[in-house]
């Protein structure tokens, strides 16, 4: 084991030693902190430096310190990253289900070769100047500077924001408390928001509602792979430009969709039963819609199917698609079917049904990270996101053409749950969703009317206001209550889109919250932590 301290004799004089090559550890941290890759916790690092500097007078005590220092340094380094706590990973049973190929792909995404190159240059520079400079003094000076900066700013990272506000009763509160107060006000206001679903009128003609829920697709991902202008999106009647899914996890985002009748709730409230008035499919059932569920996967990964059934009031899938050959193998090795084939099987089943109104929830796992293409001989190989996204969007486009040829009245809502984080940033690696940044939660949502009149426009209507599920529920409610217009004319979109609910940007995952306060995005990594400006700079 290489030494991080100067070679010592059996008996060491009681003098304060230097940090030795541990200086390189702290210099690495200072460089990563300066680049925005770390959020150094000053006190634990000071205590660790003090532990390394304590004079010891026996070889055995020095050896014990070395044995303790290495794991402590690794744990402290992890604590200073933006990654979730280790307990977060241990509590997620789905992590144990990942295939070895998916784990390898995740490991590769963590490596930033440009950063590795600069760190190598830093090592060479350290070895060059180390004989002439007192590196321990520089390391301690760096820690002292961070300590002073921490004391001068009551909450690190909030220096550029207002440092105090005047609350009710002339109470002065800190900036971090101001953001906390804003978050509580937001959830308090959202708790009173409802969509008052109105009964369908006798003049309104029935239609089928298809909610196509796509896992792992944000606007930012489509920009990365050059598919933002795919024909599927161009043919939508309405597109949301700033729709916030408010979550970076599939179960949480899907539950928010299925509870679209009420305002946005804290993440913890998603995992307790919701009022019936919030449940979208319960309200649709009152209007005569027969609810159905369809997946292109088993639904077992991360307990998805059980969660959406018990907490989202969805029925169990009934359409038999077991005869279809898997196109992909999921991150846990389970089959993932081709979307066009699954939807075609369901549509044939639907056309044979006598019900006037059917509401379908369809969830696709085609774009989930870690999927692998299944070859004809049963072997699997890696495939990139762009190839899968192209196939998915093409399949949905072909399915819409199939619906149009049937002559039936159908409303198709294409909505993603969260992004794939293809780009990554300095706070989290590509493919990681621990922090629900806007690049992950700003997702495409489109509405397409089929058999309900010709669209006179060649491009979609764009909703540019900050929106979320409440606005989508309002449109659905207005659509089934709108009387039919003259033959060949779509409903009046101006009245359908008037006064839609706007929702401020607040997103939450397990352990992290991102919100927009005073025109600046802030992040809280853990509950009761200080709020920090979110740094969305690309890696």
């Amino acid at each position: 084991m290489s030494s991080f301290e100067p070679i010592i004799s059996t008996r060491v004089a009681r003098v304060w030693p230097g940090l030795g090559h541990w200086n390189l550890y702290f210099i690495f941290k200072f460089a990563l902190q300066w680049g925005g890759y770390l959020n150094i916790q000053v006190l634990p690092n000071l205590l660790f430096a003090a532990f390394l500097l304590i004079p010891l007078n026996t070889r055995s005590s020095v050896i014990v310190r070395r044995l303790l220092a290495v794991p402590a340094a690794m744990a402290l380094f992890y604590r200073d990253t933006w990654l979730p706590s280790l307990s977060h990973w241990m509590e997620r049973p789905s992590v144990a289900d990942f295939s070895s190929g998916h784990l390898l792909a995740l490991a590769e995404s963590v490596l930033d070769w440009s950063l590795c190159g600069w760190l190598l240059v830093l090592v060479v520079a350290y070895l060059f100047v180390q004989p002439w400079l007192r590196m321990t003094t520089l390391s301690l000076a760096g820690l002292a500077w961070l300590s002073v900066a921490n004391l001068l700013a009551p909450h690190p990272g909030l220096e550029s924001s207002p440092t105090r506000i005047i609350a009710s009763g002339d109470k002065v509160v800190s900036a971090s408390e101001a953001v906390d107060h804003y978050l509580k006000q937001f959830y308090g206001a959202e708790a009173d928001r409802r969509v008052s679903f109105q009964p369908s009128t006798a003049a309104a003609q029935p239609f089928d509602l298809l909610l196509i829920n796509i896992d792992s697709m944000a606007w930012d991902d489509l920009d990365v792979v050059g598919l933002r202008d795919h024909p599927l999106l161009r043919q939508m009647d309405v597109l949301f430009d700033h729709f916030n899914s408010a979550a970076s996890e599939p179960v949480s985002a899907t539950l928010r969709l299925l509870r679209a009748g009420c305002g946005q709730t804290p993440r913890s409230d998603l995992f307790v039963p919701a009022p019936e008035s919030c449940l979208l499919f319960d309200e649709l059932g009152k209007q005569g819609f027969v609810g159905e569920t369809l997946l292109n996967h088993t639904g077992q990964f991360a307990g998805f199917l059980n969660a959406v059934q018990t907490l989202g009031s969805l029925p169990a899938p009934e359409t038999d698609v077991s005869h279809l050959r898997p196109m992909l193998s999921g991150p846990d090795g389970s089959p993932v079917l081709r979307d066009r084939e699954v939807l075609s099987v369901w549509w044939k089943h639907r056309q044979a049904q006598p019900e006037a109104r059917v509401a379908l929830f369809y969830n696709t796992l085609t774009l989930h990270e870690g999927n692998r293409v299944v070859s004809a001989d049963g072997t699997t190989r890696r495939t990139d996101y762009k190839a899968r996204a192209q196939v998915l969007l093409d399949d949905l486009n072909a399915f819409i053409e199939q619906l149009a040829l049937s002559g039936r009245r159908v409303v198709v809502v294409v909505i993603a749950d969260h992004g794939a984080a293809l780009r990554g940033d300095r706070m989290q690696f590509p493919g990681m969703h621990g922090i629900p940044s806007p690049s992950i939660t700003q997702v495409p949502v489109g509405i397409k009317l089929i058999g309900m009149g010709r669209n006179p426009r060649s491009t979609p209507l764009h909703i540019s206001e900050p929106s979320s599920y409440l606005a989508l529920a309002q449109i659905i409610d207005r659509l089934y209550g709108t009387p039919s217009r003259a033959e060949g004319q779509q409903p009046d979109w101006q009245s359908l889109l008037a006064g839609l609910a706007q929702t401020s940007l607040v997103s939450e995952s397990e352990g992290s919250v991102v919100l927009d306060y005073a025109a600046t995005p802030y992040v809280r990594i853990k509950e009761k932590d200080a709020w920090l400006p979110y740094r969305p700079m690309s890696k």
Side-chain angles (χ1 to χ4, degrees), residues 413-433:
V413 177
V414 177
I415 177 169
D417 56 12
H418 65 77
L422 294 182
R423 201 187 302 268
D425 57 41
R426 296 186 181 183
M427 284 191 170
Q428 54 188 354
F429 300 113
M432 299 196 71
H433 315 135

Side-chain angles (χ1 to χ4, degrees), residues 34-50:
W34 176 79
Y37 291 90
L38 288 184
N39 178 36
I40 293 179
Q41 309 296 304
V42 178
L43 181 57
N45 281 275
L46 282 172
L47 293 175
F48 182 60

